Amino acid sequence: RRKATMAMADDEAADRRRALLSLDARRSALLAESEAIVSELTADPGGGAAPMGIDTPLVDGDGYPRSDVDVYRARHLRRRFKEIQTDVKAAERELASGLEGLGPGGGGGIANPSRAEGTDESERARRTAPKPPPKFDARSGRWVVRNWDGSLSE
């Protein structure tokens, strides 16, 4: 029985690793696509014209579409670039939460030893301890509170 549960735990850890590797590959592909979009948007079109740019105006000073830029293409690339940025952030959040679950040795232990149970409890106790009451400082004419390190907070 014990061997069966250990084998199941190993299978789950391997599945999590595969999922994380797949997610990292997706993030890498998105980053490569965003780099290609940025290079196209910032490429010099030649002829003294300004590049499309990532956030430069697509209209001239009079409010008409720039004649040296394919406005439709620029808007499409910019929209896709923003979508990729959002997808990359989401993938990085998923990767971070997945890596926290793996922990040392590939198991499901605690990934960050500073976040152990005792540390959380002691910090919670410190934060919920009663705070000192504010006192009036006659020299500055303000109410002040003494911080945990002895300094004054105004």
Side-chain angles (χ1 to χ4, degrees):
R1 262 195 176 296
R2 192 172 195 143
K3 288 183 182 180
T5 52
M6 288 181 64
M8 286 177 51
D10 288 342
D11 289 344
E12 289 175 11
D15 288 343
R16 278 189 273 159
R17 282 193 191 103
R18 277 192 291 275
L20 288 174
L21 288 173
S22 170
L23 193 57
D24 186 49
R26 180 174 179 263
R27 183 184 66 83
S28 297
L30 287 170
L31 288 173
E33 184 180 353
S34 73
E35 288 174 10
I37 289 173
V38 168
S39 68
E40 184 176 345
L41 286 171
T42 57
D44 184 24
M52 289 187 268
I54 295 174
D55 58 359
T56 55
L58 297 176
V59 294
D60 60 13
D62 296 327
Y64 293 103
R66 286 175 43 187
S67 61
D68 60 336
V69 172
D70 181 1
V71 175
Y72 177 78
R73 177 80 178 147
R75 291 184 68 202
H76 174 74
L77 288 173
R78 289 176 177 186
R79 180 182 54 90
R80 180 65 187 143
F81 180 68
K82 293 295 184 185
E83 289 171 355
I84 290 172
Q85 285 181 325
T86 304
D87 292 346
V88 166
K89 286 180 186 176
E92 287 173 347
R93 274 194 302 271
E94 286 182 49
L95 277 170
S97 65
L99 288 173
E100 286 175 1
L102 283 180
I110 298 171
N112 188 352
S114 68
R115 304 289 268 169
E117 285 296 316
T119 307
D120 286 343
E121 291 301 320
S122 65
E123 184 170 343
R124 184 176 294 118
R126 270 197 339 251
R127 289 179 182 252
T128 58
K131 307 295 185 259
K135 296 181 180 175
F136 186 75
D137 183 25
R139 201 169 25 155
S140 67
R142 296 182 176 178
W143 288 91
V144 295
V145 176
R146 192 164 297 277
N147 292 325
W148 62 272
D149 62 352
S151 64
L152 289 178
S153 175
E154 296 184 37

